[in-house]
Amino acid sequence: MYERIYHAVYRIPAGCVATYGQIAALAGFPRRARQVGYALAAGGPEDLPWHRVVNAKGEISRRADPAGHEDLQRRLLESEGVEFSTRGNISLQRFRWRPQLDED
DNA sequence: CCCATGACTGATT
DNA sequence: TAATCAGCCATGG
């Protein structure tokens, strides 16, 4: 079940980000953005690039865990070349991943 | 099976 | 532009 979602996340190239809804659609679930978040929260593979998944506003979503993972995700993205604006969000218009037809 | 919750989204106000 | 509201549905009690 989550496998499908994880697979979609793996397809996100470094230096780009995708929204939950985008992942959901990519995985074949048009309206299940929440389930995507749920799947990530469930904890997938250790090498899962979950940090490339952000909400529709290009911000890092808050999780139940109050830990500083929010900052971690940001740093991971920055190390991949993703820039954050002063307000702390990503310019989806520039960094959102546009699935190419030759992806698979 | 019914009820509440949640890494969300899009339309309204 | 920011805050609210209503859908969405898998998961767990």
Side-chain angles (χ1 to χ4, degrees):
Chain A
M1 175 56 193
Y2 288 161
E3 283 294 319
R4 193 131 171 142
I5 294 173
Y6 296 148
H7 191 71
V9 176
Y10 278 123
R11 290 165 56 172
I12 307 173
C16 294
V17 296
T19 66
Y20 291 87
Q22 192 178 345
I23 293 302
L26 217 59
F29 309 112
R31 307 279 175 232
R32 301 182 196 180
R34 296 189 78 154
Q35 277 57 259
V36 172
Y38 203 91
L40 297 184
E46 295 179 27
D47 60 327
L48 184 73
W50 55 272
H51 53 274
R52 296 186 193 141
V53 184
V54 297
N55 62 28
K57 295 183 247 177
E59 302 174 325
I60 297 173
S61 300
R62 296 257 203 169
R63 322 182 273 281
D65 193 329
H69 291 157
E70 200 178 330
D71 183 60
L72 170 63
Q73 180 169 8
R74 173 168 176 159
R75 275 187 299 184
L76 283 170
L77 289 173
E78 290 181 318
S79 67
E80 289 184 349
V82 177
E83 297 172 36
F84 283 72
S85 7
T86 339
R87 287 166 83 222
N89 55 12
I90 303 168
S91 299
L92 289 178
Q93 197 170 200
R94 299 196 315 170
F95 296 101
R96 187 178 143 277
W97 169 48
R98 297 353 178 282
Q100 301 303 308
L101 274 46
D102 56 285
E103 284 294 328
D104 62 270

